[in-house]
Amino acid sequence: MAGRRRIPVDEGWSALHAWSAMQDRSTVDRATLATAVRHTVAELADAAPGRSVEVRVPPFAAAQCVAGPVHTRGTPPAVVETDPQTWLELAVGDLAWADGVAEGRVRVSGQRTDLSAHLPLREGG
């Protein structure tokens, strides 16, 4: 069952489209960036339900996802962490998962942290 969303789906996709359409994505306003990141992390959690991997995109979002052993306390055994720009590049398909990891733009530790089966995200499912 999906958790309660803080970002309405239509607002989230609109923010992601606005970010994606920008020539210089580094100039996107903080509110649009935050909305796009929070929305896409929630979309991933819906697409890959579970609590075995924690995905962190500081300072905007974190979520547990991917089926497997449940994490309840302390440092999660499996963590994926990246910056907002890299996360959104992964979410829209501008950056391949393997390339992001190989370049050190995506930091992973633990099992089940290969999210390539779930990215890029697709609107409507």
Side-chain angles (χ1 to χ4, degrees), residues 1 17 20 29 42 44 49-50 54-55 59 66-67 69 71-72 78 81 84 89 91 94 98 103-104 110 113 118:
M1 184 165 114
H17 293 308
S20 187
D29 66 277
L44 173 67
E54 184 165 294
V55 175
V66 181
H71 163 72
T72 57
E81 187 167 347
E89 288 176 29
D94 288 350
E103 295 168 7
T113 55
H118 307 290

Side-chain angles (χ1 to χ4, degrees), residues 9-109:
V9 173
D10 58 337
E11 288 179 31
W13 286 115
S14 292
L16 184 61
H17 293 308
W19 173 86
S20 187
M22 295 190 73
Q23 288 287 81
D24 181 1
R25 292 175 175 167
S26 67
T27 63
V28 68
D29 66 277
R30 185 173 172 85
T32 300
L33 183 64
T35 299
V37 168
R38 290 177 182 135
H39 168 70
T40 53
V41 169
E43 284 288 312
L44 173 67
D46 285 350
R51 294 184 9 204
S52 68
V53 177
E54 184 165 294
V55 175
R56 300 173 180 166
V57 186
F60 300 121
Q64 291 183 356
C65 58
V66 181
V70 174
H71 163 72
T72 57
R73 298 184 72 189
T75 302
V79 176
V80 171
E81 187 167 347
T82 190
D83 64 273
Q85 294 289 345
T86 298
W87 172 252
L88 293 178
E89 288 176 29
L90 291 164
V92 300
D94 288 350
L95 177 65
W97 179 261
D99 294 338
V101 172
E103 295 168 7
R105 296 176 62 192
V106 179
R107 294 164 302 287
V108 298
S109 65

